[in-house]
Each structure stands twice: as structure tokens, then as C-alpha cells.
Amino acid sequence: MASELPYEQPLAELRGKIEELKKFGQDKGIDFSDEIGRLEERYARLAQEVYAELKVHEKIQIVKTPQRPTTIEYIQTIFTDFMELHGDRLFGDDLAIIGGLAKLNGVPVTVMGHQKGKDTKDNIARNFGMPHPEGFRKALRLMRQADKFRRPIITFIDVTGAYPGAAAEERGQSEAIARNLMEMSALGVPVICVVIGEGGSGGALALGVGNRVLMLEHAIYSVISPEGAASILFKDSAKAPQAAEAMKITAQDILQLKLIDEIVPEPPGGAHKNLEQQAATLKSSLWSHLQELQQLSSDELREDRYRKFRSFGAYRVPQRSLISAQSDPAKG
């Protein structure tokens, strides 16, 4: 069972009372069904109140919980016939990126994503899900292969950021990310990207240039961590919750900014509460978008991706400049 987060303590206490009453009734042979029913109704109301208005830092707690499903868990639950492929054919095999061939409702696809560990040993082996350049190059190798054999691509994004160590820089971290951005934009097959947890900086963007970009309900997408932003803006990393509110990094914020296409709902309390339900919801969404994109030609897919990313952002012309241009036709 998933451990409770701090704001879930009232729910945990009430659930404990319900379980105690059930056990006492079974041991003593007493029927407490009415009392248990009332407590269950109270629990449902309290859960609705707790999860209805989560603050940004509480969503971050959900995203960072060790029990949150990782890429491999979604691959195993959503897809069939998964065959993992390894290595970038240049340096080595980065375990922070996992990918290979699979089928989605019988349709062959290439699937890949960031892979965090589930315990200390696994996290060390996978570098806490932070890829080196060879990880991004492995992902790109699989994308090129998918493009050659006309297989749709599905990526799962869950990374605090690309690994910032000296070894990664020596092997061309920035070039590897930039090349992924460039080549993903030119792929002639459908590309669907899903932010399942943390979408951190260039590490996320390197797998994030898709025709459709989705986010799970409690996922976050940001150029820097709230702690890093707080250190820069407020000179105090303890003000991370304040920075997180200002950064507009939640799925709801990102959708309002029109940077993603859909928010995929999570079970009450987060994806880690019910992996099967979350996987079924995500699978339905992926299948819907894939069917739509498969109707487009290679050129139409590229144009669709181009229009999508060209539409990001906005700028304002100062009013004084407008007045100046109107008063002087030569400047218009």
C-alpha cells in the first residue's frame, strides 16, 4: 500500500479507525455495518475535500513520491509484446532511458521514456532517471528506426533534468539534446509525448517534441526545479513552495498556456493509488490520439508539429511604438 503524504494524514487516521472497527466486529461477532457505512461516507467526503484543491507544492509531493508509477510500469501495463533495445551504438547503454518495440492494441509502436529507480540500488544504477548524452542518443536511434519502419512513437517524460555532471558535458550533453529537438521535429511518423511525473528542463524537451503532448493531472513541467528557482530568485531554497506557485508548472497551468493538448485524469490521490486505473485511462487517451494522427501523411505530420511549436508564446508591442508607427507612414 502506498505511504501517505503529509496532507493525507486525516484520511489515514479515519481509514485506520474504519479498519479497527471492522476487525473488532469480526473478532467479537458484532455487526457494525451501519457505523462502518457512516464512516465510509465521511471518508469519501473528506477525500473529496482533500483532493479537490491541492496546492502546487502538494502536487509536487505526489509527483516525487517513490511509489509513483515509472515508465516501465506503464509500458508493462499499457502495451503488449514489449522488446527492450539497448545502447546508442556510440558509447554505451544508459539505463536512465528505457525503450524498445511494443504493440498498442495490436499496432506496432516504438515506446521509450525516462526511467527512475524504485529503490536506492536501482536509482543509483539508473542515475536517478537523469540521462547522460548516450541516453538521449539511444532514444534518437530508436526514433530513427521507428521513422524508417513507419512505426508511431510514444514517449514518457519523467525527469528532474539532464545529468549536469562533468562526464555528461565531456560527451556532449547539450549537443545530444539539441539534436533530439531538431530530428524529432522532422520525423514523418506520429509522435505522442506524455509527461507522467516531472518534466524538467532540457532533459524533458529531448523527448518532448510531439504532435500531441499530454500531461497527467498532477504532473509538472518546468525549466528549473522550484528549489533552484527559489535559490536564484529569493536566495533561499526553502521558499520553493512560493516559487512553485509563481512558476505556473502544473498541468492545469500548462494547458491554460496552450503548451499541451490534454490533461489525463489521475485516480483520487494520484497515479500511485491505482496503477491499473491510471494505465487504462492513459491507454484510452493514447489510442484516441494515435488513431487521429494515423490519418495524416508524413508531410502533414511534420507540418502539424511545426504549427504546434510555432504557436507557442506571445509578445506585446509597446503602445508608444504603435502610435509612433501610425504617425509616421515611413515607419509603418
Side-chain angles (χ1 to χ4, degrees):
M1 183 176 177
S3 60
E4 307 298 333
L5 295 169
Y7 61 86
E8 294 178 306
Q9 286 307 309
L11 287 171
E13 293 172 5
L14 184 53
R15 174 53 61 188
K17 292 178 181 177
I18 293 172
E19 296 304 323
E20 286 179 11
L21 189 57
K22 286 181 179 178
K23 187 177 186 303
F24 183 77
Q26 290 173 353
D27 293 343
K28 301 298 182 181
I30 303 174
D31 183 9
F32 289 117
S33 56
D34 290 342
E35 291 82 351
I36 291 172
R38 285 193 290 270
L39 287 175
E40 290 283 9
E41 290 177 5
R42 181 180 167 191
Y43 181 90
R45 289 194 301 270
L46 181 59
Q48 188 173 11
E49 292 173 5
V50 168
Y51 296 132
E53 300 272 342
L54 290 175
K55 296 181 174 62
V56 178
H57 73 273
E58 291 171 336
K59 286 179 176 285
I60 294 174
Q61 288 175 351
I62 292 177
V63 163
K64 289 182 177 293
T65 182
Q67 290 79 31
R68 190 163 179 89
T70 61
T71 293
I72 188 60
E73 291 173 279
Y74 284 116
I75 290 176
Q76 293 171 343
T77 311
I78 293 174
F79 303 89
T80 58
D81 304 304
F82 176 62
M83 181 173 68
E84 185 177 357
L85 301 177
H86 298 272
D88 68 340
R89 301 296 187 267
L90 291 170
F91 181 85
D93 186 33
D94 189 347
L95 298 182
I97 294 281
I98 186 171
L101 313 179
K103 290 182 179 178
L104 177 62
N105 287 339
V107 176
V109 298
T110 291
V111 60
M112 67 193 73
H114 305 96
Q115 180 61 38
K116 296 179 178 178
K118 299 298 286 188
D119 55 38
T120 302
K121 182 179 179 181
D122 196 22
N123 263 319
I124 292 173
R126 297 187 183 278
N127 200 36
F128 295 85
M130 295 185 293
H132 287 74
E134 53 269 25
F136 297 122
R137 290 174 179 139
K138 173 169 71 172
L140 182 58
R141 181 176 75 84
L142 298 184
M143 292 178 200
R144 288 170 173 166
Q145 183 193 77
D147 196 38
K148 177 178 179 180
F149 293 102
R150 314 301 306 152
R151 285 192 301 267
I153 298 169
I154 298 172
T155 72
F156 293 95
I157 297 169
D158 186 17
V159 61
T160 55
Y163 183 60
E169 296 299 330
E170 289 170 355
R171 297 200 291 273
Q173 184 74 289
S174 58
E175 188 277 340
I177 293 173
R179 184 166 296 277
N180 276 30
L181 297 177
M182 179 181 71
E183 297 210 22
M184 285 189 79
S185 66
L187 292 169
V189 295
V191 182
I192 304 174
C193 310
V194 189
V195 184
I196 59 174
E198 296 178 271
S201 194
L205 292 176
L207 297 187
V209 183
N211 297 93
R212 300 292 181 270
V213 181
L214 320 178
M215 285 183 71
L216 297 194
E217 181 181 355
H218 300 310
I220 59 174
Y221 209 169
S222 64
V223 70
I224 190 173
S225 69
E227 292 79 10
S231 297
I232 295 171
L233 297 176
F234 308 127
K235 311 301 180 186
D236 183 1
S237 61
K239 293 185 178 180
Q242 182 180 343
E245 290 285 350
M247 290 167 66
K248 306 297 181 185
I249 61 177
T250 68
Q252 295 72 24
D253 293 324
I254 303 297
L255 182 64
Q256 189 172 2
L257 292 170
K258 300 181 180 179
L259 301 180
I260 60 172
D261 300 283
E262 181 187 345
I263 296 175
V264 180
E266 296 190 29
H272 61 290
K273 298 290 186 179
N274 193 326
L275 172 59
E276 290 73 22
Q277 179 183 339
Q278 182 64 77
T281 303
L282 181 53
K283 181 178 181 179
S284 176
S285 182
L286 289 172
W287 181 243
S288 175
H289 286 289
L290 181 57
Q291 286 182 302
E292 178 185 337
L293 292 171
Q294 283 184 312
Q295 305 304 312
L296 304 179
S297 68
S298 293
D299 288 340
E300 288 172 332
L301 287 166
R302 295 186 189 97
E303 180 64 23
D304 174 80
R305 214 174 295 127
Y306 175 81
R307 287 198 306 267
K308 176 182 180 62
F309 284 86
R310 285 289 292 175
S311 70
F312 288 178
Y315 66 91
R316 294 179 181 176
V317 178
Q319 197 66 27
R320 185 174 299 174
S321 298
L322 288 174
I323 295 172
S324 176
Q326 290 170 357
S327 63
D328 186 350
K331 294 182 180 180

